[in-house]
Amino acid sequence: MTETPSFPTSLGTSTADEIRLLGQDLTADLMGKVGFGELAFWLVALRRPTPSEVRVFEAVLVALADHGFTPTAIAARLTYLSAPDSLQGALAAGLLGGGSRFLGVTEDCGAFLHTALERLDGELPDDDAGWDAVALDVVSEAKAAKRFVPGLGHPVHKVRDPRTPVLIGIAEEEGLRGPHLKLFEAIGRVHEQVLGRRLPLNGAGVCGAALADLGLPVELLRGFALLARAAGLLGQIAEEQRRPIGMDAYLTVDRNAVYVDPT
C-alpha cells in the first residue's frame, strides 16, 4: 500500500468544523482582531508585524491604491465595457498591466537598492555624506551600463512626488527609516551630478524602499503593489457602473483612427 501524500504548509488548513490560518484559529484569534493589511504582511513574512510596521505597510498600500485614469484603470474599465459579465476579467486586465512603467517600479526599485546594499563592504554609512558617496557610485554605475535608476522621475509629478516625503516621514516616526530608504534619499540628492538633470523620487520607488526596509522579500514587492491596486481597480469598476466612461474612451480612439501607409 502507498502512503497518503502530505503537503506541508504554514498558511491555511481546515477541517469539518475549524479553519486555521498561520497557526491561529481563524474565527477565534483573527476575525475582528487582525486588520487586512496586518494579515497580508503576516501571510508573506510568516511573522506578525509590529504596530509600527503595520502603519508603514498600510501607508504603502494607500499610496499605491489608485492614481486616476492610469493604463491599469483604463484597461479594467474597457474590459468591463467589453465583458460586463466578467468582473474578475476586468480586475485581472488591470492587474496584468502592472509592469516596469506602472506599479512594477516598486519591486524594481526595492531590488535595485537591495542589490546595491548587498555589495557594500564593511559597515553601512552613518551620515548623509557616506550615503551620498554610495549613491554616487550606484548611479554612475547604472549610467555607465545604460540602465535606468528605478524610482527616478514621474510622468505627472515633475518636481516632487507628494507621496515620497510623507512616507519617509512616517517611516522615520516609526523608527523604520532603514538603509534602503536612506540610500534612496541619497540617490535623490546626488543623481543630478551624474545624469545632468534633476528628477523627483517617485512614489512607487519610495514604496519599494520602505517595503524592503520592512524585511519583506524583494522578489515579492510587486505583489504588494498589485494588492494595493486591486482595491483601486475595484473602485474604478464600481465607478464605471455608476458613471461610465469606457464607451466614450473607446469611441474617441476608434472614431479618430486614421489610416497611414505602412511604407
Side-chain angles (χ1 to χ4, degrees), residues 8-72:
T9 179
S10 299
L11 304 177
T13 58
S14 61
T15 63
D17 54 8
E18 183 186 52
I19 301 173
R20 299 194 67 80
L21 182 62
L22 297 162
Q24 312 292 314
D25 184 306
L26 178 70
T27 56
D29 302 327
L30 300 179
M31 292 175 63
K33 300 175 182 178
V34 174
F36 181 69
E38 181 179 359
L39 182 65
F41 186 112
W42 196 348
L43 284 167
V44 175
L46 293 180
R47 64 175 180 84
R48 189 168 186 171
T50 66
S52 291
E53 289 173 324
V54 171
R55 185 180 178 218
V56 172
F57 181 71
E58 292 191 342
V60 167
L61 296 182
V62 171
L64 296 174
D66 184 77
H67 303 156
F69 290 126
T70 58
T72 59

Short mmCIF file of all heavy atoms in Angstrom, two decimals, residues 8-72:
data_model
loop_
_atom_site.label_atom_id
_atom_site.label_comp_id
_atom_site.label_asym_id
_atom_site.label_seq_id
_atom_site.Cartn_x
_atom_site.Cartn_y
_atom_site.Cartn_z
N PRO A 8 3.00 19.96 3.24
CA PRO A 8 3.21 20.89 4.36
C PRO A 8 2.90 22.33 4.00
O PRO A 8 3.17 22.78 2.89
CB PRO A 8 4.70 20.71 4.68
CG PRO A 8 5.31 20.20 3.42
CD PRO A 8 4.26 19.36 2.77
N THR A 9 2.30 23.04 4.93
CA THR A 9 2.00 24.45 4.74
C THR A 9 2.04 25.16 6.08
O THR A 9 1.67 24.58 7.11
CB THR A 9 0.63 24.66 4.08
OG1 THR A 9 0.40 26.07 3.95
CG2 THR A 9 -0.50 24.04 4.89
N SER A 10 2.46 26.39 6.06
CA SER A 10 2.42 27.23 7.26
C SER A 10 1.29 28.24 7.18
O SER A 10 1.22 29.17 8.00
CB SER A 10 3.76 27.97 7.43
OG SER A 10 4.83 27.07 7.57
N LEU A 11 0.42 28.07 6.19
CA LEU A 11 -0.65 29.04 5.97
C LEU A 11 -1.98 28.49 6.47
O LEU A 11 -2.20 28.40 7.66
CB LEU A 11 -0.69 29.42 4.49
CG LEU A 11 0.64 29.98 3.93
CD1 LEU A 11 0.52 30.26 2.46
CD2 LEU A 11 1.07 31.21 4.71
N GLY A 12 -2.89 28.15 5.56
CA GLY A 12 -4.24 27.78 5.99
C GLY A 12 -4.54 26.30 5.87
O GLY A 12 -4.12 25.64 4.91
N THR A 13 -5.27 25.79 6.83
CA THR A 13 -5.79 24.42 6.78
C THR A 13 -7.21 24.45 7.33
O THR A 13 -7.61 25.38 8.03
CB THR A 13 -4.95 23.45 7.63
OG1 THR A 13 -4.92 23.91 8.99
CG2 THR A 13 -3.52 23.35 7.10
N SER A 14 -7.99 23.43 6.99
CA SER A 14 -9.36 23.39 7.50
C SER A 14 -9.81 21.96 7.73
O SER A 14 -9.33 21.02 7.09
CB SER A 14 -10.31 24.09 6.52
OG SER A 14 -10.30 23.43 5.27
N THR A 15 -10.70 21.81 8.68
CA THR A 15 -11.38 20.54 8.94
C THR A 15 -12.87 20.80 8.84
O THR A 15 -13.31 21.89 8.49
CB THR A 15 -11.02 20.02 10.34
OG1 THR A 15 -11.52 20.95 11.32
CG2 THR A 15 -9.52 19.87 10.51
N ALA A 16 -13.65 19.81 9.18
CA ALA A 16 -15.10 19.95 9.06
C ALA A 16 -15.65 21.07 9.94
O ALA A 16 -16.66 21.69 9.61
CB ALA A 16 -15.78 18.62 9.41
N ASP A 17 -14.98 21.35 11.06
CA ASP A 17 -15.54 22.35 11.98
C ASP A 17 -14.54 23.43 12.41
O ASP A 17 -14.80 24.18 13.33
CB ASP A 17 -16.11 21.68 13.23
CG ASP A 17 -15.09 20.77 13.90
OD1 ASP A 17 -13.90 20.78 13.49
OD2 ASP A 17 -15.47 20.06 14.84
N GLU A 18 -13.39 23.51 11.72
CA GLU A 18 -12.41 24.52 12.12
C GLU A 18 -11.58 24.96 10.92
O GLU A 18 -11.28 24.17 10.02
CB GLU A 18 -11.47 23.95 13.20
CG GLU A 18 -10.45 24.96 13.71
CD GLU A 18 -9.44 24.32 14.66
OE1 GLU A 18 -8.84 23.30 14.28
OE2 GLU A 18 -9.26 24.85 15.77
N ILE A 19 -11.24 26.24 10.90
CA ILE A 19 -10.28 26.78 9.93
C ILE A 19 -9.13 27.39 10.71
O ILE A 19 -9.34 28.18 11.63
CB ILE A 19 -10.92 27.87 9.04
CG1 ILE A 19 -12.11 27.30 8.27
CG2 ILE A 19 -9.89 28.45 8.07
CD1 ILE A 19 -12.90 28.35 7.51
N ARG A 20 -7.93 27.01 10.33
CA ARG A 20 -6.74 27.57 10.97
C ARG A 20 -5.91 28.30 9.92
O ARG A 20 -5.79 27.86 8.78
CB ARG A 20 -5.90 26.50 11.67
CG ARG A 20 -6.66 25.77 12.77
CD ARG A 20 -5.74 24.96 13.66
NE ARG A 20 -4.83 25.79 14.46
CZ ARG A 20 -5.19 26.42 15.59
NH1 ARG A 20 -6.42 26.32 16.04
NH2 ARG A 20 -4.31 27.13 16.24
N LEU A 21 -5.35 29.42 10.34
CA LEU A 21 -4.54 30.23 9.44
C LEU A 21 -3.34 30.75 10.22
O LEU A 21 -3.51 31.34 11.30
CB LEU A 21 -5.36 31.40 8.88
CG LEU A 21 -4.67 32.33 7.89
CD1 LEU A 21 -4.24 31.57 6.64
CD2 LEU A 21 -5.60 33.48 7.50
N LEU A 22 -2.16 30.50 9.69
CA LEU A 22 -0.92 30.96 10.33
C LEU A 22 -0.81 30.45 11.77
O LEU A 22 -0.29 31.13 12.66
CB LEU A 22 -0.86 32.50 10.31
CG LEU A 22 -0.81 33.12 8.91
CD1 LEU A 22 -1.19 34.59 8.98
CD2 LEU A 22 0.57 32.95 8.29
N GLY A 23 -1.30 29.27 11.99
CA GLY A 23 -1.24 28.67 13.32
C GLY A 23 -2.29 29.18 14.28
O GLY A 23 -2.28 28.81 15.46
N GLN A 24 -3.20 30.05 13.79
CA GLN A 24 -4.23 30.63 14.64
C GLN A 24 -5.60 30.08 14.25
O GLN A 24 -5.81 29.66 13.11
CB GLN A 24 -4.26 32.16 14.46
CG GLN A 24 -2.91 32.83 14.53
CD GLN A 24 -2.29 32.79 15.91
OE1 GLN A 24 -2.96 33.07 16.90
NE2 GLN A 24 -1.02 32.44 16.00
N ASP A 25 -6.50 30.09 15.22
CA ASP A 25 -7.89 29.78 14.92
C ASP A 25 -8.48 30.99 14.22
O ASP A 25 -8.56 32.08 14.79
CB ASP A 25 -8.64 29.48 16.22
CG ASP A 25 -10.08 29.03 15.97
OD1 ASP A 25 -10.81 29.77 15.28
OD2 ASP A 25 -10.47 27.98 16.48
N LEU A 26 -8.90 30.80 12.96
CA LEU A 26 -9.36 31.93 12.16
C LEU A 26 -10.48 32.71 12.84
O LEU A 26 -10.44 33.95 12.91
CB LEU A 26 -9.84 31.43 10.79
CG LEU A 26 -10.39 32.51 9.85
CD1 LEU A 26 -9.27 33.43 9.37
CD2 LEU A 26 -11.12 31.89 8.68
N THR A 27 -11.47 32.01 13.35
CA THR A 27 -12.64 32.70 13.91
C THR A 27 -12.39 33.24 15.31
O THR A 27 -12.88 34.31 15.68
CB THR A 27 -13.85 31.77 13.92
OG1 THR A 27 -13.53 30.57 14.65
CG2 THR A 27 -14.25 31.39 12.50
N ALA A 28 -11.60 32.53 16.11
CA ALA A 28 -11.39 32.95 17.50
C ALA A 28 -10.25 33.95 17.64
O ALA A 28 -10.30 34.84 18.49
CB ALA A 28 -11.12 31.72 18.37
N ASP A 29 -9.21 33.81 16.81
CA ASP A 29 -7.99 34.60 17.01
C ASP A 29 -7.80 35.73 16.01
O ASP A 29 -7.07 36.68 16.31
CB ASP A 29 -6.76 33.68 16.94
CG ASP A 29 -6.80 32.56 17.95
OD1 ASP A 29 -7.36 32.78 19.05
OD2 ASP A 29 -6.31 31.46 17.65
N LEU A 30 -8.41 35.64 14.83
CA LEU A 30 -8.09 36.59 13.77
C LEU A 30 -9.27 37.47 13.35
O LEU A 30 -9.12 38.69 13.22
CB LEU A 30 -7.56 35.84 12.54
CG LEU A 30 -6.29 35.02 12.76
CD1 LEU A 30 -5.87 34.31 11.47
CD2 LEU A 30 -5.15 35.87 13.28
N MET A 31 -10.41 36.89 13.12
CA MET A 31 -11.55 37.67 12.62
C MET A 31 -11.96 38.73 13.64
O MET A 31 -12.22 38.42 14.80
CB MET A 31 -12.72 36.75 12.28
CG MET A 31 -12.45 35.86 11.08
SD MET A 31 -13.79 34.67 10.77
CE MET A 31 -15.14 35.79 10.40
N GLY A 32 -12.00 39.99 13.19
CA GLY A 32 -12.36 41.08 14.07
C GLY A 32 -11.23 41.56 14.96
O GLY A 32 -11.40 42.53 15.71
N LYS A 33 -10.07 40.90 14.87
CA LYS A 33 -8.94 41.25 15.73
C LYS A 33 -7.69 41.62 14.94
O LYS A 33 -6.77 42.25 15.49
CB LYS A 33 -8.63 40.07 16.67
CG LYS A 33 -9.78 39.71 17.58
CD LYS A 33 -9.49 38.48 18.41
CE LYS A 33 -10.70 38.11 19.27
NZ LYS A 33 -10.47 36.88 20.06
N VAL A 34 -7.65 41.22 13.68
CA VAL A 34 -6.48 41.49 12.84
C VAL A 34 -6.95 42.20 11.58
O VAL A 34 -7.89 41.75 10.91
CB VAL A 34 -5.76 40.17 12.45
CG1 VAL A 34 -4.64 40.44 11.46
CG2 VAL A 34 -5.21 39.50 13.70
N GLY A 35 -6.33 43.34 11.26
CA GLY A 35 -6.69 44.06 10.05
C GLY A 35 -6.16 43.36 8.81
O GLY A 35 -5.23 42.55 8.88
N PHE A 36 -6.74 43.70 7.66
CA PHE A 36 -6.34 43.03 6.42
C PHE A 36 -4.88 43.32 6.06
O PHE A 36 -4.17 42.43 5.61
CB PHE A 36 -7.26 43.45 5.28
CG PHE A 36 -6.93 42.77 3.98
CD1 PHE A 36 -7.16 41.42 3.81
CD2 PHE A 36 -6.35 43.48 2.93
CE1 PHE A 36 -6.85 40.78 2.62
CE2 PHE A 36 -6.04 42.86 1.74
CZ PHE A 36 -6.28 41.50 1.58
N GLY A 37 -4.44 44.56 6.24
CA GLY A 37 -3.05 44.87 5.95
C GLY A 37 -2.10 44.08 6.83
O GLY A 37 -1.09 43.54 6.36
N GLU A 38 -2.42 43.99 8.11
CA GLU A 38 -1.60 43.21 9.03
C GLU A 38 -1.55 41.75 8.60
O GLU A 38 -0.49 41.10 8.61
CB GLU A 38 -2.17 43.34 10.44
CG GLU A 38 -1.38 42.59 11.51
CD GLU A 38 -1.96 42.74 12.90
OE1 GLU A 38 -2.97 43.47 13.04
OE2 GLU A 38 -1.41 42.15 13.84
N LEU A 39 -2.70 41.22 8.18
CA LEU A 39 -2.76 39.83 7.76
C LEU A 39 -1.95 39.61 6.49
O LEU A 39 -1.23 38.60 6.36
CB LEU A 39 -4.21 39.42 7.53
CG LEU A 39 -4.42 37.95 7.11
CD1 LEU A 39 -3.99 37.00 8.22
CD2 LEU A 39 -5.87 37.70 6.72
N ALA A 40 -2.03 40.53 5.53
CA ALA A 40 -1.28 40.38 4.29
C ALA A 40 0.22 40.33 4.57
O ALA A 40 0.96 39.52 3.98
CB ALA A 40 -1.61 41.54 3.34
N PHE A 41 0.69 41.19 5.46
CA PHE A 41 2.10 41.19 5.85
C PHE A 41 2.45 39.84 6.48
O PHE A 41 3.46 39.21 6.13
CB PHE A 41 2.33 42.33 6.85
CG PHE A 41 3.76 42.55 7.24
CD1 PHE A 41 4.44 43.70 6.84
CD2 PHE A 41 4.46 41.64 8.03
CE1 PHE A 41 5.75 43.93 7.19
CE2 PHE A 41 5.78 41.85 8.39
CZ PHE A 41 6.43 43.00 7.97
N TRP A 42 1.63 39.40 7.40
CA TRP A 42 1.85 38.17 8.15
C TRP A 42 1.90 36.96 7.22
O TRP A 42 2.73 36.05 7.38
CB TRP A 42 0.74 38.03 9.18
CG TRP A 42 0.94 37.06 10.30
CD1 TRP A 42 1.90 36.10 10.42
CD2 TRP A 42 0.12 36.95 11.47
NE1 TRP A 42 1.73 35.40 11.59
CE2 TRP A 42 0.66 35.91 12.25
CE3 TRP A 42 -1.00 37.64 11.92
CZ2 TRP A 42 0.10 35.53 13.48
CZ3 TRP A 42 -1.56 37.27 13.13
CH2 TRP A 42 -1.02 36.23 13.91
N LEU A 43 1.03 36.92 6.23
CA LEU A 43 0.98 35.79 5.31
C LEU A 43 2.28 35.62 4.54
O LEU A 43 2.69 34.50 4.22
CB LEU A 43 -0.17 35.97 4.32
CG LEU A 43 -1.58 35.69 4.86
CD1 LEU A 43 -2.63 36.22 3.90
CD2 LEU A 43 -1.77 34.20 5.12
N VAL A 44 2.94 36.72 4.21
CA VAL A 44 4.18 36.65 3.45
C VAL A 44 5.39 36.49 4.36
O VAL A 44 6.26 35.64 4.13
CB VAL A 44 4.34 37.90 2.57
CG1 VAL A 44 5.70 37.90 1.87
CG2 VAL A 44 3.23 37.97 1.53
N ALA A 45 5.46 37.30 5.41
CA ALA A 45 6.64 37.28 6.29
C ALA A 45 6.61 36.12 7.28
O ALA A 45 7.65 35.77 7.85
CB ALA A 45 6.73 38.60 7.05
N LEU A 46 5.44 35.54 7.48
CA LEU A 46 5.24 34.46 8.46
C LEU A 46 5.63 34.90 9.87
O LEU A 46 6.12 34.11 10.68
CB LEU A 46 6.00 33.19 8.04
CG LEU A 46 5.48 32.51 6.77
CD1 LEU A 46 6.29 31.27 6.46
CD2 LEU A 46 3.99 32.19 6.89
N ARG A 47 5.44 36.17 10.12
CA ARG A 47 5.57 36.71 11.47
C ARG A 47 4.59 37.87 11.59
O ARG A 47 4.32 38.58 10.62
CB ARG A 47 6.99 37.20 11.76
CG ARG A 47 7.44 38.37 10.90
CD ARG A 47 8.82 38.89 11.33
NE ARG A 47 9.25 40.01 10.51
CZ ARG A 47 8.89 41.27 10.73
NH1 ARG A 47 8.08 41.56 11.74
NH2 ARG A 47 9.32 42.24 9.95
N ARG A 48 4.07 38.03 12.78
CA ARG A 48 3.09 39.11 12.98
C ARG A 48 3.83 40.45 13.04
O ARG A 48 4.77 40.61 13.82
CB ARG A 48 2.30 38.88 14.25
CG ARG A 48 1.14 39.84 14.40
CD ARG A 48 0.20 39.41 15.51
NE ARG A 48 -0.99 40.26 15.54
CZ ARG A 48 -2.05 40.00 16.30
NH1 ARG A 48 -2.06 38.94 17.08
NH2 ARG A 48 -3.10 40.81 16.27
N PRO A 49 3.46 41.41 12.22
CA PRO A 49 4.16 42.69 12.22
C PRO A 49 3.85 43.49 13.49
O PRO A 49 2.79 43.33 14.10
CB PRO A 49 3.62 43.40 10.98
CG PRO A 49 2.25 42.82 10.79
CD PRO A 49 2.37 41.38 11.23
N THR A 50 4.77 44.37 13.83
CA THR A 50 4.54 45.28 14.95
C THR A 50 3.56 46.38 14.50
O THR A 50 3.37 46.60 13.30
CB THR A 50 5.85 45.94 15.39
OG1 THR A 50 6.32 46.80 14.32
CG2 THR A 50 6.91 44.89 15.71
N PRO A 51 2.96 47.09 15.44
CA PRO A 51 2.10 48.21 15.05
C PRO A 51 2.82 49.23 14.18
O PRO A 51 2.21 49.79 13.25
CB PRO A 51 1.66 48.81 16.40
CG PRO A 51 1.70 47.65 17.34
CD PRO A 51 2.89 46.82 16.90
N SER A 52 4.09 49.49 14.44
CA SER A 52 4.85 50.42 13.60
C SER A 52 4.99 49.90 12.19
O SER A 52 4.84 50.65 11.21
CB SER A 52 6.23 50.68 14.21
OG SER A 52 6.13 51.41 15.42
N GLU A 53 5.27 48.62 12.04
CA GLU A 53 5.39 48.03 10.72
C GLU A 53 4.06 48.06 9.98
O GLU A 53 4.02 48.31 8.77
CB GLU A 53 5.91 46.59 10.84
CG GLU A 53 7.38 46.51 11.25
CD GLU A 53 7.82 45.08 11.52
OE1 GLU A 53 7.00 44.29 12.04
OE2 GLU A 53 8.98 44.76 11.23
N VAL A 54 2.98 47.82 10.70
CA VAL A 54 1.65 47.87 10.07
C VAL A 54 1.38 49.27 9.56
O VAL A 54 0.85 49.45 8.44
CB VAL A 54 0.56 47.43 11.07
CG1 VAL A 54 -0.83 47.68 10.49
CG2 VAL A 54 0.71 45.96 11.41
N ARG A 55 1.74 50.29 10.31
CA ARG A 55 1.48 51.66 9.88
C ARG A 55 2.23 51.98 8.58
O ARG A 55 1.66 52.56 7.64
CB ARG A 55 1.87 52.66 10.96
CG ARG A 55 1.50 54.10 10.59
CD ARG A 55 1.87 55.09 11.65
NE ARG A 55 1.51 56.43 11.19
CZ ARG A 55 2.24 57.51 11.42
NH1 ARG A 55 3.37 57.43 12.09
NH2 ARG A 55 1.85 58.68 10.95
N VAL A 56 3.51 51.62 8.52
CA VAL A 56 4.28 51.88 7.31
C VAL A 56 3.73 51.06 6.14
O VAL A 56 3.54 51.56 5.03
CB VAL A 56 5.77 51.58 7.53
CG1 VAL A 56 6.55 51.67 6.22
CG2 VAL A 56 6.36 52.55 8.56
N PHE A 57 3.46 49.78 6.39
CA PHE A 57 2.98 48.88 5.35
C PHE A 57 1.65 49.37 4.78
O PHE A 57 1.47 49.43 3.55
CB PHE A 57 2.83 47.48 5.92
CG PHE A 57 2.36 46.45 4.94
CD1 PHE A 57 3.19 46.00 3.93
CD2 PHE A 57 1.08 45.92 5.03
CE1 PHE A 57 2.76 45.04 3.01
CE2 PHE A 57 0.64 44.96 4.13
CZ PHE A 57 1.48 44.53 3.12
N GLU A 58 0.73 49.75 5.64
CA GLU A 58 -0.57 50.21 5.15
C GLU A 58 -0.47 51.58 4.48
O GLU A 58 -1.25 51.87 3.56
CB GLU A 58 -1.58 50.21 6.29
CG GLU A 58 -1.91 48.80 6.76
CD GLU A 58 -3.10 48.74 7.70
OE1 GLU A 58 -3.48 49.78 8.27
OE2 GLU A 58 -3.65 47.62 7.86
N ALA A 59 0.50 52.39 4.89
CA ALA A 59 0.72 53.66 4.18
C ALA A 59 1.15 53.39 2.75
O ALA A 59 0.76 54.10 1.82
CB ALA A 59 1.77 54.50 4.91
N VAL A 60 1.96 52.35 2.55
CA VAL A 60 2.36 51.95 1.20
C VAL A 60 1.15 51.52 0.39
O VAL A 60 0.97 51.92 -0.77
CB VAL A 60 3.41 50.82 1.26
CG1 VAL A 60 3.60 50.18 -0.12
CG2 VAL A 60 4.74 51.35 1.79
N LEU A 61 0.29 50.70 0.98
CA LEU A 61 -0.89 50.22 0.27
C LEU A 61 -1.79 51.38 -0.14
O LEU A 61 -2.32 51.41 -1.26
CB LEU A 61 -1.68 49.24 1.14
CG LEU A 61 -0.98 47.93 1.52
CD1 LEU A 61 -1.93 47.05 2.33
CD2 LEU A 61 -0.48 47.17 0.30
N VAL A 62 -1.96 52.33 0.75
CA VAL A 62 -2.78 53.51 0.43
C VAL A 62 -2.14 54.32 -0.69
O VAL A 62 -2.81 54.79 -1.61
CB VAL A 62 -2.99 54.37 1.69
CG1 VAL A 62 -3.65 55.70 1.34
CG2 VAL A 62 -3.85 53.62 2.71
N ALA A 63 -0.81 54.47 -0.62
CA ALA A 63 -0.10 55.27 -1.62
C ALA A 63 -0.22 54.70 -3.02
O ALA A 63 -0.17 55.44 -4.02
CB ALA A 63 1.38 55.39 -1.24
N LEU A 64 -0.39 53.39 -3.14
CA LEU A 64 -0.39 52.73 -4.44
C LEU A 64 -1.78 52.33 -4.94
O LEU A 64 -1.90 51.79 -6.04
CB LEU A 64 0.50 51.47 -4.39
CG LEU A 64 1.98 51.70 -4.11
CD1 LEU A 64 2.70 50.37 -3.94
CD2 LEU A 64 2.62 52.52 -5.23
N ALA A 65 -2.82 52.60 -4.16
CA ALA A 65 -4.14 52.05 -4.50
C ALA A 65 -4.72 52.60 -5.80
O ALA A 65 -5.20 51.82 -6.64
CB ALA A 65 -5.12 52.31 -3.35
N ASP A 66 -4.67 53.90 -6.00
CA ASP A 66 -5.31 54.45 -7.20
C ASP A 66 -4.70 55.80 -7.54
O ASP A 66 -4.45 56.62 -6.65
CB ASP A 66 -6.82 54.63 -6.97
CG ASP A 66 -7.53 55.12 -8.23
OD1 ASP A 66 -7.74 54.30 -9.13
OD2 ASP A 66 -7.84 56.32 -8.29
N HIS A 67 -4.45 56.01 -8.84
CA HIS A 67 -3.90 57.28 -9.31
C HIS A 67 -4.74 57.87 -10.44
O HIS A 67 -4.22 58.59 -11.28
CB HIS A 67 -2.45 57.10 -9.80
CG HIS A 67 -1.54 56.52 -8.77
ND1 HIS A 67 -0.39 55.83 -9.09
CD2 HIS A 67 -1.60 56.52 -7.42
CE1 HIS A 67 0.21 55.43 -7.99
NE2 HIS A 67 -0.51 55.83 -6.96
N GLY A 68 -6.01 57.51 -10.51
CA GLY A 68 -6.85 58.06 -11.56
C GLY A 68 -6.86 57.19 -12.81
O GLY A 68 -6.73 55.96 -12.74
N PHE A 69 -6.95 57.83 -13.97
CA PHE A 69 -7.09 57.10 -15.24
C PHE A 69 -5.73 56.66 -15.77
O PHE A 69 -5.29 57.08 -16.84
CB PHE A 69 -7.83 57.96 -16.26
CG PHE A 69 -9.29 58.17 -15.95
CD1 PHE A 69 -9.83 59.44 -15.88
CD2 PHE A 69 -10.12 57.09 -15.71
CE1 PHE A 69 -11.17 59.65 -15.59
CE2 PHE A 69 -11.46 57.27 -15.41
CZ PHE A 69 -11.98 58.55 -15.34
N THR A 70 -5.08 55.81 -15.00
CA THR A 70 -3.82 55.22 -15.45
C THR A 70 -4.12 54.09 -16.44
O THR A 70 -5.27 53.66 -16.57
CB THR A 70 -3.05 54.65 -14.25
OG1 THR A 70 -3.89 53.68 -13.60
CG2 THR A 70 -2.69 55.74 -13.26
N PRO A 71 -3.11 53.60 -17.15
CA PRO A 71 -3.36 52.48 -18.07
C PRO A 71 -4.02 51.28 -17.40
O PRO A 71 -4.86 50.61 -18.01
CB PRO A 71 -1.96 52.15 -18.59
CG PRO A 71 -1.23 53.45 -18.55
CD PRO A 71 -1.74 54.13 -17.30
N THR A 72 -3.65 50.99 -16.15
CA THR A 72 -4.26 49.85 -15.48
C THR A 72 -5.75 50.08 -15.26
O THR A 72 -6.57 49.17 -15.42
CB THR A 72 -3.57 49.57 -14.13
OG1 THR A 72 -3.65 50.73 -13.29
CG2 THR A 72 -2.11 49.21 -14.34
#
